[in-house]
Amino acid sequence: MSAYANNVLEMLKGKYPWEKEYIQSVSEVFKSITPVLDSNREYQSNRILEQLVEPDRSISFRVPWKDDQGRVQVNTGHRVQFNNVLGPYKGGLRFHSSVTLSIIKCLGFEQIFKNALTGLRIGGGKGGSDFNPRGKSDNEIMNFCQSFMLELSRHIGATIDVPAGDIGVGGREIGYLFGMYRRMNKSFEGVLTGKGIAWGGSYLRPEATGYGVVYFAEEMLKNIDDNMDGKVVTVSGFGNVSWGVVKKVNELGGKVITLSGPDGFIHDPDGVTGEKVDYMLKLRLSGNDVVKDYADRFKVKFYPGERPWDIPCDIAFPCATQNELELDDAKNLVKNKVKYLVEGANLPVTLEGMEFLENADIIYGPAKACNAGGVACSCFEMAQNANFMNWTEDEVDNKLHQVMKHIHDQCYEASAEFNKKGNYVFGANVAGFRRVADAMMDQGLS
Ligand code: NDP
Ligand code: 2IT
């Protein structure tokens, strides 16, 4: 790491020592960008890194709501508006018991570079709450969403900050949030993405993250004259992103043999196909969050408390959550001769795991490049809303394909420029950083 980046990182560790996840995401980017900092000293003289690591603003707020027994419950909400030099703040909302400000800052920092890689006009932000949707009724989820929006609505707007879904936030939650915003502001505007198709949503937004992950994988494979046909694939998670990945891998002739949840993983050697794919949606909406149900229903093996990274495969797609693939998991994958690792979840691999994989003989696609299809499609939704129009499914799919190819090519070219051909982790960080940092310099101290 360059001395400049290291100094900024040490400053950050001293200032926010408790924000472990946030510091992890900054370290990951800073490790890559040394050659860029060395090639252009203006980044340092303009103190670009110091400016980048401090969000434009972070908002934390109380969210009181009533459960079905009439008891008062209190959660904490956050929205971190990180950087808007490229466009309105844009990024998802996460509802999960593990949410802290550090996790939201970590995801928000990633989002800046991910959004920059899309080439579209979107800045970086992220939000969420420690509200746990597991086991909650629809009514409780609505009560919570309405109370959350009561405060959030003061800070967002169609050209200011446009939240969307993430873990625990899908079409149902976006509906409740949007309804409350519309009522409070008397305004029907594209202030959230991931909306229902009948009220301003875009075709393919639910599928877009997973499809985009597979389109990126396809480009990586194509680059070395390979393709998806016949590939054995392991997937973790069972939510929105995993579902999109499974659908697209099946379409391209691959076979997905695992899914996972917080309770363990299932191994389905015949492949997750047909009604099993639809069942994933039911599981996600059941609020149960246990993939054991899948094993019971389809009579496949369930491994309680374990992760799927010991199962031999050609391609691994971690699509559940951060730090779900540790050094030992990475070693197991390599021992079993995995050829590609493509990240669907944000920061799914620990720093130690990443370092090992970067030096192993595999092709590794990082989240900020691979899973950008979701936010790209969100930006398409904003464009459609601004014009009061709907594009067709084919139009959206073609544009998604183009964006993913564009991201792939940028990462590959940046890796080649610095003699690290095919190192997509490096290429993504460098290409994303340069787009943001150059726009910051163009716009001066602001
Ligand atoms: P979903 O809520 O649809 O699904 C995620 C599911 O994974 C949750 O139900 C969660 O269960 C489960 N899960 C949590 N921890 C683990 C674990 N350790 N092992 C296995 N499963 C676990 O979320 P998404 O599919 O939307 O998000 C998945 C990942 O993809 C996240 O990292 C997210 O940030 C990322 N992502 C999402 C995008 C989107 O558009 N939705 C876009 C880009 C990235 P439980 O709640 O019980 O823990
Ligand atoms: O991590 C992500 O990119 C998302 N959760 C999607 C963000 C968005 O605004 O669509």
Side-chain angles (χ1 to χ4, degrees):
M1 192 181 295
S2 79
Y4 170 41
N6 198 44
N7 286 343
V8 177
L9 189 63
E10 288 307 314
M11 177 276 290
L12 207 60
K13 285 181 182 164
K15 204 166 167 186
Y16 304 110
W18 57 91
E19 293 191 345
K20 302 249 170 340
E21 296 84 358
Y22 177 48
I23 287 163
Q24 177 185 343
S25 65
V26 175
S27 313
E28 195 273 312
V29 173
F30 279 14
K31 270 190 190 157
S32 290
I33 58 176
T34 293
V36 183
L37 298 172
D38 289 346
S39 70
N40 184 351
R41 293 284 164 173
E42 283 196 35
Y43 294 129
Q44 181 165 355
S45 57
N46 283 284
R47 305 195 74 184
I48 289 297
L49 297 186
E50 289 88 332
Q51 294 186 64
L52 253 180
V53 295
E54 197 59 62
D56 290 354
R57 65 197 64 78
S58 319
I59 302 138
S60 293
F61 49 94
R62 180 177 66 243
V63 189
W65 58 280
K66 274 195 178 174
D67 66 20
D68 287 345
Q69 283 70 47
R71 289 177 306 216
V72 174
Q73 303 283 348
V74 185
N75 288 98
T76 308
H78 306 279
R79 185 72 186 166
V80 175
Q81 298 179 331
F82 232 114
N83 187 301
N84 66 350
V85 287
L86 296 178
Y89 305 108
K90 184 82 197 88
L93 296 172
R94 176 175 290 192
F95 293 168
H96 194 268
S97 49
S98 64
V99 164
T100 59
L101 184 58
S102 168
I103 290 190
I104 299 298
K105 282 176 76 174
C106 151
L107 296 167
F109 190 72
E110 275 285 292
Q111 197 83 41
I112 304 172
F113 307 107
K114 179 194 310 196
N115 294 3
L117 283 170
T118 65
L120 303 169
R121 246 176 295 138
I122 37 181
K126 195 87 189 185
S129 172
D130 57 358
F131 172 75
N132 179 5
R134 193 187 294 184
K136 301 287 189 301
S137 68
D138 274 2
N139 185 55
E140 289 175 323
I141 288 179
M142 183 173 76
N143 287 346
F144 174 80
C145 288
Q146 292 182 337
S147 179
F148 185 84
M149 184 50 88
L150 212 54
E151 176 60 34
L152 185 70
S153 69
R154 299 180 215 271
H155 311 288
I156 59 177
T159 56
I160 300 171
D161 181 358
V162 183
D166 192 78
I167 291 183
V169 179
R172 173 183 54 184
E173 293 75 16
I174 293 292
Y176 296 147
L177 292 163
F178 184 73
M180 193 60 176
Y181 182 90
R182 181 184 45 69
R183 183 173 172 206
M184 292 176 66
N185 294 280
K186 299 178 291 182
S187 169
F188 193 106
E189 54 180 292
V191 67
L192 293 164
T193 58
K195 298 185 292 298
I197 203 77
W199 39 278
S202 171
Y203 284 112
L204 286 189
R205 177 62 189 88
E207 291 87 348
T209 309
Y211 280 18
V213 171
V214 181
Y215 290 155
F216 192 96
E218 243 191 326
E219 292 299 321
M220 295 196 323
L221 270 68
K222 218 189 290 173
N223 216 25
I224 54 162
D225 288 328
D226 198 358
N227 64 58
M228 196 63 74
D229 199 29
K231 290 282 179 300
V232 174
V233 168
T234 52
V235 171
S236 65
F238 64 92
N240 175 263
V241 177
S242 317
W243 169 72
V245 166
V246 170
K247 277 180 64 162
K248 192 48 85 179
V249 167
N250 285 343
E251 225 176 83
L252 297 176
K255 183 159 81 166
V256 177
I257 57 167
T258 65
L259 296 174
S260 74
D263 55 332
F265 80 93
I266 60 100
H267 183 198
D268 187 347
D270 291 339
V272 182
T273 54
E275 61 163 325
K276 297 172 186 171
V277 183
D278 302 330
Y279 188 69
M280 289 176 73
L281 289 180
K282 288 196 194 129
L283 263 185
R284 165 75 177 75
L285 273 179
S286 71
N288 261 345
D289 284 359
V290 284
V291 287
K292 183 174 180 306
D293 290 0
Y294 179 107
D296 294 343
R297 187 177 170 111
F298 298 110
K299 309 275 174 285
V300 298
K301 199 139 191 243
F302 172 65
Y303 294 81
E306 289 185 44
R307 296 165 173 170
W309 311 127
D310 207 9
I311 302 289
C313 64
D314 301 308
I315 314 179
F317 287 99
C319 296
T321 191
Q322 67 275 359
N323 292 334
E324 55 161 317
L325 205 153
E326 297 178 63
L327 181 59
D328 283 349
D329 300 314
K331 286 183 176 164
N332 277 336
L333 282 168
V334 170
K335 184 188 76 198
N336 287 331
K337 304 211 171 354
V338 68
K339 295 190 190 74
Y340 308 90
L341 186 129
V342 192
E343 296 184 343
N346 286 312
L347 297 134
V349 183
T350 58
L351 277 180
E352 297 76 30
M354 273 186 103
E355 255 162 40
F356 175 80
L357 289 170
E358 266 191 86
N359 295 315
D361 186 21
I362 67 158
I363 299 179
Y364 181 1
K368 63 171 76 64
C370 305
N371 74 21
V375 77
C377 193
S378 279
C379 191
F380 302 158
E381 187 172 327
M382 290 161 70
Q384 292 168 77
N385 290 169
N387 287 317
F388 290 89
M389 297 290 282
N390 261 108
W391 303 344
T392 64
E393 195 171 320
D394 276 351
E395 272 177 285
V396 178
D397 199 27
N398 284 335
K399 287 190 163 64
L400 178 62
H401 227 132
Q402 278 171 26
V403 167
M404 296 317 296
K405 182 169 173 8
H406 168 73
I407 299 174
H408 171 273
D409 294 352
Q410 272 184 97
C411 296
Y412 190 77
E413 281 158 21
S415 72
E417 185 184 332
F418 290 96
N419 290 325
K420 286 176 181 276
K421 209 181 232 175
N423 183 334
Y424 290 94
V425 173
F426 173 84
N429 283 329
V430 165
F433 171 75
R434 276 205 295 216
R435 184 158 183 242
V436 180
D438 292 347
M440 287 171 74
M441 295 211 293
D442 289 346
Q443 295 177 32
L445 282 184
S446 57

